[in-house]
């Protein structure tokens, strides 16, 4: 199965089709078992080098890529802006060329500029994975969200998915919309007008400015924080006012589907976009998303790594590799 993975990079959900997504999620099903074993390591990527380049803050994505690489026995190196030559004025191009000379097999890049991973991919020969670029895309987040949805609801098709919060600045919203559209689910974006991009319907989503209509019949409710690091000037009157109108609590789920699940990519701002009790409720699959993050990133590293592609996922997830 893995022999058929046709991509050299993972830059954008827009590059994938249903088959690619299923291939990644099916491989992740096997890798999630690895993370539940007493010894959470397989030799699949022994001798391979993964460089994580994080030019923006990250907890979940960076840690899970690091764990994913290590659980596959790759050599993993983390570089962040503050400890690197970037803080000494080096250009992205020079950083890439320097890293390329060290012969990594895979580079994961998070950057504040939309398109930065695409730029890097054109400059280097190794595989590049987009770990989040500006407000553009966060493909592995959408893939791990898809994994958690499929696990909870058994499908990615025919669902009503409400994505609520700061849509304008959210790469998570864009990648999720692209992925869920591939499978024929209905995606609703819900935000105040000031946090909803213009022409967003072009992404194939329905636009809502009111929680009640957005959550009506929803199978999945995905909440997003205000991306304050990307917001210039006041886009909401006050946090309290925003939380009152767009913060989701258990009572808002009354008209959602009986099986509705609540998701959040993290980091959560409890009491703003999500009521603390809802975050900790049985509806919440937020920690399942985190667990899925490691497995999905193992699957992505495995599928992109050269030479191991000929291995079946089952062999890759076995102790013998
Ligand atoms: N962790 C997600 C991202 O990197 C969501 C967020 O930061 O709000 O885009």
């Amino acid at each position: 199965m893995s022999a058929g993975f046709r991509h050299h990079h993972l830059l954008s959900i827009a590059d994938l089709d249903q088959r690619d997504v299923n291939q990644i999620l099916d491989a992740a099903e096997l890798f999630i078992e690895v993370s539940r074993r007493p010894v959470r390591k397989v030799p699949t990527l022994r001798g391979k080098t993964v460089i994580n380049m994080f030019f923006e803050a990250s907890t979940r994505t960076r840690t899970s890529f690091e764990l994913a690489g290590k659980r596959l026995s790759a050599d993993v190196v983390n570089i962040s802006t503050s400890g690197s030559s970037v803080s000494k004025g080096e250009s992205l191009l020079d950083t890439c060329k320097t890293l390329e000379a060290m012969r990594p097999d895979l580079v994961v890049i998070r950057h504040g500029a939309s398109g930065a991973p695409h730029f890097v991919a054109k400059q280097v020969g190794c595989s590049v994975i987009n770990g989040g670029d500006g407000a553009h895309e966060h493909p592995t987040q959408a893939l791990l969200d898809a994994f958690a949805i499929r696990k909870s609801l058994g499908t990615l098709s025919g669902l009503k998915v409400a994505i609520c919060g700061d849509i304008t600045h959210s790469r998570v919203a864009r990648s999720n919309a692209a992925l869920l559209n591939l499978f024929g689910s209905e995606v609703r974006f819900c935000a105040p007008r000031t946090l909803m991009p213009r022409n967003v319907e072009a992404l194939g989503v329905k636009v809502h400015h009111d929680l009640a209509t957005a959550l009506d019949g929803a199978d999945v409710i995905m909440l997003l924080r205000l991306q304050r690091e990307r917001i210039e000037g006041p886009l909401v009157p006050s946090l309290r006012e925003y939380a009152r109108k767009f913060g989701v609590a258990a009572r808002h789920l009354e008209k959602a589907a009986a099986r509705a699940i609540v998701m959040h990519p993290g980091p959560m701002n409890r009491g703003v976009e999500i009521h603390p009790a809802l975050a900790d409720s049985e509806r919440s699959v937020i920690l399942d998303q985190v667990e899925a993050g490691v497995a999905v990133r193992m699957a992505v590293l495995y599928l992109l790594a050269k030479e191991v592609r000929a291995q079946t996922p089952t062999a890759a997830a076995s102790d013998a590799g």
Side-chain angles (χ1 to χ4, degrees):
M1 186 172 91
S2 61
F5 197 69
R6 62 195 178 100
H7 299 277
H8 180 52
H9 305 296
L10 178 64
L11 299 175
S12 166
I13 294 294
D15 299 332
L16 306 182
D17 62 18
Q18 261 200 38
R19 183 172 166 271
D20 298 324
V21 172
N22 284 330
Q23 205 171 353
I24 295 168
L25 301 189
D26 292 346
E29 295 280 0
L30 297 164
F31 288 122
I32 210 158
E33 293 310 320
V34 174
S35 294
R36 290 175 180 170
R37 293 178 193 161
V39 178
R40 293 175 276 279
K41 213 173 181 76
V42 287
T44 314
L45 294 191
R46 198 169 41 201
K48 301 282 172 196
T49 303
V50 179
I51 299 185
N52 287 329
M53 284 206 289
F54 279 69
F55 295 93
E56 266 196 341
S58 174
T59 303
R60 274 150 289 266
T61 307
R62 204 196 52 203
T63 311
S64 61
F65 266 115
E66 182 174 355
L67 282 177
K70 287 183 170 165
R71 288 183 184 170
L72 292 169
S73 302
D75 296 317
V76 183
V77 182
N78 293 317
I79 297 170
S80 62
T81 325
S82 55
S84 74
S85 302
V86 175
S87 63
K88 299 181 182 172
E90 187 173 68
S91 72
L92 182 56
L93 181 58
D94 283 332
T95 306
C96 295
K97 294 282 181 203
T98 304
L99 295 176
E100 173 77 346
M102 297 180 197
R103 302 193 166 275
D105 299 282
L106 297 130
V107 168
V108 181
I109 174 165
R110 165 168 291 192
H111 202 284
S114 299
H118 302 68
F119 170 79
V120 173
K122 286 198 186 114
Q123 310 299 328
V124 298
C126 64
S127 293
V128 176
I129 300 170
N130 181 356
D133 62 325
H136 177 227
E137 274 238 32
H138 194 349
T140 57
Q141 179 71 46
L143 287 161
L144 74 88
D145 291 339
F147 186 93
I149 294 171
R150 198 172 83 163
K151 182 169 158 249
S152 298
L153 303 179
T155 181
L156 291 172
S157 302
L159 301 172
K160 293 187 172 69
V161 181
I163 305 182
C164 311
D166 176 1
I167 303 288
T168 300
H169 303 98
S170 177
R171 51 197 176 206
V172 175
R174 283 173 184 74
S175 287
N176 265 290
L179 191 152
L180 291 160
N181 278 336
L182 271 182
F183 286 82
S185 281
E186 177 186 311
V187 180
R188 304 168 178 175
F189 278 178
C190 179
R193 286 175 204 283
T194 49
L195 293 172
M196 185 72 81
R198 263 183 301 230
N199 302 326
V200 74
E201 291 90 346
L203 297 177
V205 301
K206 295 194 172 161
V207 172
H208 293 259
H209 300 293
D210 169 57
L211 272 183
T213 59
L215 302 192
D216 195 4
D219 303 289
V220 177
I221 297 156
M222 192 179 293
L223 304 175
L224 305 171
R225 75 182 169 99
L226 288 168
Q227 304 248 323
R228 283 187 249 183
E229 72 276 25
R230 295 186 219 287
I231 297 179
E232 287 163 18
L235 290 181
V236 292
S238 72
L239 268 192
R240 184 188 285 198
E241 174 74 2
Y242 176 78
R244 198 175 60 74
K245 276 194 150 173
F246 289 93
V248 178
R251 68 188 157 82
H252 293 105
L253 270 59
E254 275 163 16
K255 285 197 168 168
R259 62 175 183 167
I261 55 169
V262 174
M263 307 180 77
H264 197 305
M268 277 188 279
N269 287 171
R270 287 173 181 258
V272 183
E273 72 276 6
I274 186 165
H275 192 278
L278 183 62
D280 300 327
S281 73
E282 284 184 351
R283 301 273 195 161
S284 164
V285 299
I286 295 169
L287 294 178
D288 295 340
Q289 290 173 263
V290 178
E291 185 185 27
V294 179
V296 162
R297 288 169 178 129
M298 286 172 84
V300 169
L301 293 175
Y302 153 70
L303 288 167
L304 291 178
K306 290 186 196 63
E307 292 145 38
V308 292
R309 286 186 196 177
Q311 249 178 42
T312 65
T314 313
S318 81
D319 291 334

